[in-house]
Amino acid sequence: MKLIPSPFAPAHFPDLPIVHGVRAATGSRGFYAARGLTRDDVFLFAFDEGTSCAGVYTVSNTASADVLWCREALKSGAGTASALVVNSGNSNAFTGPKGVLKNDATLKAMGDALGVAKETCFIAATGVIGEPLADPNYVGSIVPELAARLAAPDWEAAARAFMTTDTFPKGAGRSFDLDGTQINIAGIAKGSGMIAPNMATMLSYVFTDAAIAPALLQELLEDITDETFNSITVDGDTSTSDTLMVFATGACGMSPITSSDDPRFEVLADALHAVCLELAHLIVKDGEGASKFVTITVKGAVSSQSAKIMACEIANSPLIKTAMAAGDANWGRVVMAVGKSLEPIRMDELSIWFDDVLVAQNGSRAPDYSEAAASAVFAKPEFTITVDAGVGDQSHTVWTCDLTHGYVDINGAYRT
Amino acid sequence: MKLIPSPFAPAHFPDLPIVHGVRAATGSRGFYAARGLTRDDVFLFAFDEGTSCAGVYTVSNTASADVLWCREALKSGAGTASALVVNSGNSNAFTGPKGVLKNDATLKAMGDALGVAKETCFIAATGVIGEPLADPNYVGSIVPELAARLAAPDWEAAARAFMTTDTFPKGAGRSFDLDGTQINIAGIAKGSGMIAPNMATMLSYVFTDAAIAPALLQELLEDITDETFNSITVDGDTSTSDTLMVFATGACGMSPITSSDDPRFEVLADALHAVCLELAHLIVKDGEGASKFVTITVKGAVSSQSAKIMACEIANSPLIKTAMAAGDANWGRVVMAVGKSLEPIRMDELSIWFDDVLVAQNGSRAPDYSEAAASAVFAKPEFTITVDAGVGDQSHTVWTCDLTHGYVDINGAYRT
């Protein structure tokens, strides 16, 4: 089926900086040829020696063969990376022994072409679940050709190569000064269904030429993930292939950051956080069928975790998501979602705002409730739902989109 | 908006038996007049002296004022019931002190009209959340008139009076012999959105002229609920008003059952279970926008509870529900849902059937997988998804419907 572009699609792909120490090439292995599409569907990234990496993966019990490999490589390679190969069109999930054979062949091709150790090679795949590849070397066979074409990354080409039901390529970046050294960060991401904590169903890769020790980078990435990629949801479904990785080449020439006490750490952390948040928001804005981008904050909770659970119940409720789609300011359904979370609240202290319009206060409809004012908020393409649970001072924010006819259409036709 | 009747709507309301000791009347309080509809929206039931009752209510932290009252009355009245008043059109949930005033007025009207104690009176309301009634006696004011018209129940009229987005009235019943005494059971239910364990968002009342001690009836009802109303889901949303009650008048003339060792207990239990299951299925078949009725069984689990969690993840996945709607036998999404449940499985032992078509076996696609055979199952209006988790011998079954354009339409327009 023809995908209708998200209303939030940016006019053009952002200008992302050159990240020193990173080379890339994209190509087509023909995964989409059967659907009559001529497009790239594989990319290879190669990293300078000494590149640190960190990764966060799906928590699913049916994780893909690729995810299982990456978890193992992250350990056995001690957080060093030399190459990355990702394909779209087939997720290599639930493919049993055949999935492992595909990985072995791909990893061997990477090692042979680049002369690097297997445990420094990372892979991922996204697409239909459960369709084993007839030829284990289907992806690996294009690696030599890609390796011969490695060059400074064309970020947009890479971002396009791993799109599935995405309607626009997603990228974000930053360049900033760190003690006289220019640091560059570029990231790409793909969605756009099976998006829920933990993790958002997606693949995302962030590249920087900063220098940072692997263990510290891993710790930082996990913290960032909690407030970015693990705080978005499109449909509450968690994928078998979710992957977020950061590669830090150190090619900018700075001395490595090895401790969070290093004053440069916070600057780098903030920049990485900003890039990850931007990519996470782009995934929601390209959520399947999305017509609204909604920020949901729960405050006054006993803990940040409790606030997050309540915010996710609101964000994942099909009744609230369809009301968003229709522009129906049905705040009673927000009450329902908070109630079904079973998290601690005080109903007689519970208040709800749509943007800055108070719709419910102290356990019932706000005294000066205005249907017109509430509806005006829900008519906007982007708005905020805020809930005060009335029991504490902790909060959390998640981001979601609405549930539209487009979602029903896209997901009924995904495999065709 | 005009609701399109469910394809599962029965040709006619079933013939339900006379249940001795139960009288009823329905009437219109005008809740739907604003929408141009002339229909009944309130019913009153009155029970002979000595009627036992049992109830199961929403676990929501934002339960309606009516639910809070019923929980209290069930305790303070020690499981005896004399009357029941239910209205549709307004849920009296999240209405703060005004909600309590409405209940007080309704309960006073019931007590005055029937000369019965307040704590034997039960109430419920279903409809839009959070809209307080301007007149606390809005419902109570019709009670005297209804009390004057009490007669043998017109079950269909009652079942119609509490419909909201339901497209057909729901009833089920049984008559059977118990040691020479004829026992009659009649039940009614309404859905049809906000349907999920615990509980299905719905109201359901079952009436019998059997005689059974209140504590035993309560225990029995809780057991039955787990395998019926708490094993259905339409959208994963839990309501603020869910209520299931059983009233046993004892008017058939039998001696009361006071122990589960009484040989008559199992017979009555089985009949009540069958009626509740039938009503629960009818709710799913009238799920908002439903075009498919799907039975989901997870077996080979470490516990029945674990099997239920996995079955619910499958049943509530928007990706699976949209695939059902489109007739797309996307079994990889079943793998996804099992994986995200985080319940114990063995991926290399995991198998999946659509009806009796084996689609996945031992952790990958079945060797003789047939897309045509799998698609033929998903094209049917009713089918079964079975998963073997490969780690134990416990199982559980849940029932659900698909996610269609109809659901998006209905829930975008619910308040208008």
Side-chain angles (χ1 to χ4, degrees), chain B residues 217-250:
Chain B
L217 184 60
Q218 181 67 34
E219 204 178 301
L220 172 60
L221 183 65
E222 290 174 14
D223 285 349
I224 288 174
T225 303
D226 186 51
E227 296 183 348
T228 58
F229 290 105
N230 275 355
S231 288
I232 61 173
T233 177
V234 167
D235 50 18
D237 275 343
T238 302
S239 146
T240 50
S241 304
D242 299 319
T243 295
L244 165 65
M245 291 194 74
V246 176
F247 300 95
T249 66

Side-chain angles (χ1 to χ4, degrees), chain A residues 19-44:
Chain A
V19 176
H20 302 288
V22 177
R23 292 172 302 149
T26 66
S28 174
R29 198 55 197 83
F31 280 106
Y32 290 87
R35 303 179 207 183
L37 294 176
T38 307
R39 54 162 280 190
D40 285 355
D41 50 23
V42 187
F43 61 63
L44 166 68

Side-chain angles (χ1 to χ4, degrees), chain B residues 116-158:
Chain B
V116 294
K118 186 180 169 185
E119 62 269 22
T120 64
C121 293
F122 294 86
I123 49 179
T126 176
V128 178
I129 294 169
E131 294 195 352
L133 294 172
D135 170 11
N137 199 35
Y138 193 76
V139 175
S141 63
I142 199 180
V143 170
E145 179 210 320
L146 295 177
R149 288 198 281 113
L150 284 169
D154 177 337
W155 298 114
E156 179 170 357

Side-chain angles (χ1 to χ4, degrees), chain A residues 59-64 68 93-97 128-132 193-195 235-240 288 313 316-320 322-323 325-333 335-345 347 350-352 360-365 369 371 375 403-416, chain B residues 59-64 68 93-97 128-132 193-195 235-240 288 313 316-320 322-323 325-333 335-345 347 350-352 360-365 369 371 375 403-416:
Chain A
V59 295
S60 171
N61 276 343
T62 54
S64 70
L68 299 180
F94 209 72
T95 45
V128 178
I129 294 170
E131 293 194 354
M194 279 197 197
I195 302 289
D235 51 18
D237 275 343
T238 302
S239 146
T240 50
E288 290 172 339
E313 289 285 7
N316 282 324
S317 160
L319 287 168
I320 296 174
T322 47
D328 176 16
N330 194 326
W331 61 269
R333 292 178 178 172
V335 173
M336 175 280 299
V338 169
K340 81 165 180 165
S341 76
L342 304 187
E343 289 300 310
I345 58 161
M347 186 153 71
L350 195 72
S351 297
I352 302 169
Q361 189 177 23
N362 298 338
S364 56
R365 196 168 68 186
Y369 174 79
E371 179 75 26
S375 296
L403 171 57
T404 66
H405 288 294
Y407 184 88
V408 177
D409 283 333
I410 293 164
N411 284 300
Y414 181 54
R415 299 191 311 161
T416 56
Chain B
V59 296
S60 171
N61 277 343
T62 54
S64 70
L68 298 180
F94 210 70
T95 44
V128 178
I129 294 169
E131 294 195 352
M194 279 196 196
I195 302 289
D235 50 18
D237 275 343
T238 302
S239 146
T240 50
E288 290 172 340
E313 288 286 8
N316 283 323
S317 159
L319 287 168
I320 296 174
T322 47
D328 177 16
N330 194 325
W331 61 270
R333 292 180 178 172
V335 174
M336 174 281 298
V338 169
K340 81 165 180 164
S341 76
L342 306 185
E343 290 299 310
I345 58 161
M347 187 153 70
L350 195 71
S351 297
I352 301 169
Q361 189 177 25
N362 298 338
S364 56
R365 196 168 67 185
Y369 174 80
E371 178 74 25
S375 296
L403 172 56
T404 66
H405 287 294
Y407 184 88
V408 177
D409 283 332
I410 292 164
N411 285 300
Y414 181 53
R415 298 191 312 160
T416 55

Side-chain angles (χ1 to χ4, degrees), chain A residues 306-329:
Chain A
S306 175
K308 185 174 180 178
I309 292 169
M310 285 188 264
C312 285
E313 289 285 7
I314 297 167
N316 282 324
S317 160
L319 287 168
I320 296 174
K321 293 169 94 75
T322 47
M324 289 172 182
D328 176 16

